[in-house]
């Protein structure tokens, strides 16, 4: 059988691809097969890149919050934002299982961060926001934040 | 003896701000907002000098890198990154590195607990005014999942010529890995071990408390310390003549050479340091060798000479500088 492409050499590579029930047979010689890759391992392992129809409905998991995709994570080993931990939860946990002794945080809690009360924390946070607003010369916002700080401080003193 | 083997301790905490994309996925405006927020929060904590990397010259950044105050990743992000450095240079807070915030403390010798206490206090103060990204189950959320949980890396820098010269490095790496720790070169991930310097640190960050992690790294460092002492004794028992010759040859070259590269000087100074530690050579002040090891990089030599020297000029300056310091230090 002659090669479908060059029509000169004998076809030694034979493939049958079934795309949504439509069967296509391809017969190529060694040279044409090299230059006309039917599929790559990368495509096989990463369905999002696959040209095959049976993956047409595949939607790559993507973080709604920052737009980071599963491929981005696999490529860089990094996540795009805190929400990505929810989007890629099962994959992250699988990889964490290999390196971490347990999947539950037992160290310092966020609430242990300070001995301050909630309203004192709120004041601290507003003070940082106030500085930011002043730096950006957004004096309208700065004045609003200042009012909130005064109100919280007064409430604390009552 | 411990202080000659355990050169220093380092604690690092990784933190990110809630509702902000991580540094690798951010835009210029958001990154600048992160930098401003963190710098504002830091300005409330006294004794920090704040620097935006884009305002620093490359040789200054290079020197900070050599002093372990910043990382090469921070330099790569220099258009958006910044660093806060304490007045005594023991604490640095990197902003917009791989994570929004990397808080780190360096102390000499085996001092992990103290370094952790210092960083924990700073973290507490920062946490009071910044909203950290946190999950009840996974703990502090980091750009790389390998740091999630405590965000803690506890490392000790160790000078291990005995273990190296008795060909036991691989065995040490295997043993340390079985405790969930890892061994790296002196400059962290991807760096090679030069001058017999190794960094031992935790690999996991989740499922153990900060105190447990610090305790594990510290106790492992002490075990390695014992092995290093035994290896040095073995070397003295079996190869004293050979080792003495190596140390004195190293001293001879350092005292008399006309030019010398950083890597050769590091190798020879490390041999002299070992020789001084185990009394194969007597020095008036052993700390000068450790000081020289910190001050012979191209950046430090340029700074010392107050000129931008060419490579050849630098090698000559380095040879003259080392010779001058070391010659007057030997006791015969």
């Amino acid at each position: 059988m002659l090669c479908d492409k060059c029509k000169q050499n004998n076809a030694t590579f034979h493939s049958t691809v079934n795309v949504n029930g439509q069967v296509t047979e391809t017969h190529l010689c060694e040279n044409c097969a090299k230059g006309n890759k039917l599929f790559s391992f990368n495509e096989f392992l990463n369905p999002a890149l696959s040209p095959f129809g049976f993956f047409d409905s595949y939607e790559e998991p993507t973080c709604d919050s920052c737009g980071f995709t599963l491929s981005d994570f696999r490529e860089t080993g990094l996540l795009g934002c805190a929400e990505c931990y929810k989007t890629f939860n099962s994959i992250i946990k699988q990889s964490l299982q290999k390196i971490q002794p347990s999947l539950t945080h037992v160290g310092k809690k966020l609430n242990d961060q300070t001995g301050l009360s909630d309203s004192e924390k709120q004041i601290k946070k507003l003070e940082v926001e106030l500085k930011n607003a002043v730096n950006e010369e957004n004096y309208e916002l700065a004045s609003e934040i200042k009012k909130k700080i005064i109100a919280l401080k007064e409430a604390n003193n009552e | 003896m411990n202080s000659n083997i355990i050169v220093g301790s380092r604690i690092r905490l990784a933190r990110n701000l809630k509702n902000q994309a991580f540094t690798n996925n951010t835009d210029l405006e958001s990154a600048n907002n992160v930098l401003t927020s963190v710098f504002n929060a830091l300005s409330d904590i006294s004794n920090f000098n704040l620097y935006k990397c884009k305002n620093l010259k490359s040789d200054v950044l290079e020197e900070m890198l050599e002093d372990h105050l910043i990382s090469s990743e921070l330099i790569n992000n220099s258009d958006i990154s910044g660093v806060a450095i304490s007045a005594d240079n023991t604490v640095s807070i990197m902003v917009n590195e791989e994570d929004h915030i990397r808080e780190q403390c360096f102390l000499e010798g085996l001092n992990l607990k103290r370094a952790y206490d210092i960083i924990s206090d700073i973290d507490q103060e920062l946490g009071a005014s910044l909203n950290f990204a946190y999950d009840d189950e996974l703990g502090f959320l980091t750009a790389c999942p390998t740091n999630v949980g405590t965000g803690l890396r506890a490392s000790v820098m160790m000078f291990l010529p005995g273990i190296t010269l008795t060909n036991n490095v691989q065995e040490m790496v295997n043993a340390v890995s079985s405790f969930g720790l890892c061994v790296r070169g002196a400059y962290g991930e991807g760096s090679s071990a030069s001058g017999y310097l190794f960094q031992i640190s935790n690999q996991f960050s989740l499922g153990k408390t900060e105190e447990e992690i610090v305790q594990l790294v510290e106790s492992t460092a002490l075990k390695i310390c014992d092995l290093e002492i035994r290896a040095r004794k073995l070397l003295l028992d079996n190869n004293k003549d050979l080792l003495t010759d190596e140390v004195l040859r190293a001293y001879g070259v350092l005292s008399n050479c006309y030019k010398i590269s950083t890597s050769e000087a590091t190798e020879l100074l490390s041999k002299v340091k070992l020789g001084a530690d185990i009394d194969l050579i007597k020095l008036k002040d052993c700390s000068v060798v450790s000081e020289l090891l910190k001050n012979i990089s191209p950046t430090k030599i340029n700074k010392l000479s107050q000129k931008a020297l060419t490579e050849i000029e630098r090698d000559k300056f380095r040879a003259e500088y080392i010779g001058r310091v070391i010659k007057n230090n030997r006791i015969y």
Side-chain angles (χ1 to χ4, degrees), chain A residues 79-80 85 100 105 113 125 132, chain B residues 22 40 124 137 142-143 205:
Chain A
L79 295 161
Y85 276 92
Q100 306 284 5
H105 176 58
Q113 285 296 102
K125 279 175 184 147
N132 286 347
Chain B
F22 294 151
N40 280 339
Q124 207 129 322
E137 192 189 350
T142 50
S205 53

Side-chain angles (χ1 to χ4, degrees), chain A residues 113-129:
Chain A
Q113 285 296 102
T114 167
L116 299 177
S117 69
D118 282 351
S119 65
E120 283 169 327
K121 268 192 210 172
Q122 181 70 14
I123 292 171
K124 276 254 181 192
K125 279 175 184 147
L126 285 170
E127 281 171 348
V128 171
E129 283 174 29

Side-chain angles (χ1 to χ4, degrees), chain A residues 26-54:
Chain A
T26 314
H27 309 280
L28 297 170
C29 68
E30 193 175 345
N31 280 344
C32 291
K34 272 183 197 162
N36 187 42
K37 277 200 296 184
L38 291 170
F39 75 94
S40 71
F41 268 106
N42 199 18
E43 285 163 354
F44 184 70
L45 294 171
N46 189 346
L49 301 173
S50 172
F52 298 124
F54 56 88

